[in-house]
Amino acid sequence: MRKFIIDTDTASDDAVALIMAHHWTDVEIVAVTIVNGNVPVEQGVKNALYTIEVCNASTPVYVGCTKPMLRESRYADWFHGKDGMGNMYYPEAKSKPESAHATDAIIDIIKQYPGEITLVTLGPLTNIAAALLKAPDIAQLVQRCVIMGGAANTVGNVTPAAEYNIWVDPEAAKIVFHSGMPMEMVGWELSRHDAALTFAEVETVMNFGTERARLAMECNKTALDVAMKRQGAVGLTLADPVAIAVALAPDIITRQGKYFVDVEITSELTRGATVVDELGVLDKKPNMNVIWAINVMRWKEILYFCLH
């Protein structure tokens, strides 16, 4: 079994990613760690616990950082709803989070399973940066780190230049990007265009009739509406589920490459931009495997398989 730690600011698309990971046959979710991002960390914990309960799982959930390293918190309730789950206001789960801090849990688990952990990040990178500052040696112990974040030389989704997860805590992202971990950047653009779920595909998933399929589509109603009205999307864009699909089934990647990638932290105009040195003009050592394209049909097959 492959061992995953999933770090998430659990809102609607994170919930779908959690469901997918919990229904993949050769993956064990060792821990889910919650970071401040889409919603305040307390709400993220509630959303994660509820989603895990729907999966009939008992994965330990750890509460992490309550704000970005240097910035004010900026939530995405305009996209995900006030509760982060499309304003569905699901009941509280029966289970409770663990007492240890997420940062300590990340360090301890990576050290417990050296070379075995796939770290998947679905939110701002505050927890991961804090863990790396406390225990820099864990960077070499992670087998693979799949980052849902950034926009590889393309348009952002919260500013013209930046994707939300990186923009919220760019200092944390910069620390992580320069940590030496074996990292893969799954930019938000991979969930756009053909990768978005059309109305017909959303209907198909709803018709599966499973509790997890219903949760996955219902909690994304606000996101679907906003994506189409504000971002000109053709349907439901699911950035976190695309990232988890890359983590679960790397064979969906159709184009990737290693590049030097840096994060802008000083400019307000381009704050949080992930600058990919695509042509190698800086002559710096690559620090990131950038995923440029995925097999869209295979991505949707994986989603359907996990929700059915």
Side-chain angles (χ1 to χ4, degrees):
M1 296 286 280
R2 291 182 289 158
K3 291 180 166 57
F4 278 35
I5 296 173
I6 300 176
D7 189 72
T8 165
D9 54 341
T10 318
S12 49
D13 65 330
D14 305 72
V16 181
L18 286 175
I19 293 167
M20 291 169 68
H22 279 91
H23 289 88
W24 200 253
T25 46
D26 77 329
V27 164
E28 176 195 355
I29 315 299
V30 186
V32 170
T33 54
I34 311 299
V35 68
N36 183 76
N38 286 322
V39 290
V41 77
E42 301 80 10
Q43 187 64 48
V45 169
K46 286 181 185 176
N47 295 344
L49 289 170
Y50 178 77
T51 304
I52 290 165
E53 200 168 82
V54 168
C55 295
N56 295 317
S58 54
T59 309
V61 172
Y62 298 87
V63 187
C65 299
T66 58
K67 63 181 191 60
M69 298 187 104
L70 300 176
R71 312 274 180 159
E72 294 296 313
S73 295
R74 299 287 288 271
Y75 300 112
D77 47 6
W78 59 273
F79 190 84
H80 295 286
K82 286 289 179 193
D83 63 348
M85 300 287 272
N87 296 321
M88 296 299 293
Y89 294 100
Y90 294 110
E92 293 222 6
K94 294 179 186 68
S95 55
K96 295 281 182 273
E98 305 297 313
S99 57
H101 193 277
T103 301
D104 295 324
I106 289 165
I107 294 167
D108 292 346
I109 292 166
I110 290 169
K111 288 186 172 181
Q112 188 182 346
Y113 301 107
E116 288 187 60
I117 295 293
T118 296
L119 179 59
V120 185
T121 72
L122 304 178
L125 290 164
T126 320
N127 284 345
I128 313 305
L132 286 161
L133 289 175
K134 197 169 180 181
D137 55 318
I138 62 171
Q140 307 307 321
L141 302 178
V142 171
Q143 186 186 82
R144 185 180 179 212
C145 177
V146 179
I147 296 168
M148 189 287 113
N153 292 358
T154 187
V155 63
N157 65 356
V158 67
T159 72
E163 177 275 332
Y164 174 82
N165 286 346
I166 306 298
W167 176 85
V168 162
D169 198 345
E171 285 79 14
K174 197 174 184 80
I175 289 166
V176 173
F177 279 35
H178 290 281
S179 68
M181 268 196 302
M183 294 171 288
E184 299 166 42
M185 188 172 96
V186 183
W188 89 284
E189 70 277 7
L190 296 178
S191 64
R192 300 181 71 201
H193 309 305
D194 291 350
L197 296 194
T198 64
F199 282 116
E201 288 167 333
V202 169
E203 196 66 28
T204 296
V205 173
M206 284 295 279
N207 289 336
F208 290 167
T210 60
E211 190 181 3
R212 58 183 183 264
R214 190 172 66 251
L215 170 63
M217 295 301 102
E218 274 182 358
C219 75
N220 274 287
K221 281 180 177 172
T222 309
L224 172 59
D225 191 47
V226 177
M228 295 189 73
K229 284 180 180 169
R230 286 207 202 178
Q231 298 174 341
V234 295
L236 178 58
T237 52
L238 293 168
D240 292 338
V242 166
I244 212 89
V246 167
L248 297 172
D251 63 321
I252 77 165
I253 301 166
T254 56
R255 189 161 73 90
Q256 61 188 322
K258 290 187 164 60
Y259 303 89
F260 176 75
V261 184
D262 213 341
V263 180
E264 177 54 54
I265 60 170
T266 55
S267 160
E268 269 312 298
L269 179 64
T270 56
R271 161 188 166 176
T274 46
V275 183
V276 180
D277 185 7
E278 196 174 344
L279 301 181
V281 294
L282 295 176
D283 202 25
K284 291 191 174 183
K285 186 183 174 190
N287 59 344
M288 182 71 69
N289 189 31
V290 176
I291 312 303
W292 294 107
I294 59 166
N295 180 330
V296 168
M297 195 176 292
R298 175 92 173 102
W299 132 246
K300 290 182 180 179
E301 280 174 6
I302 289 166
L303 177 70
Y304 292 176
F305 169 80
C306 294
L307 296 180
H308 214 284

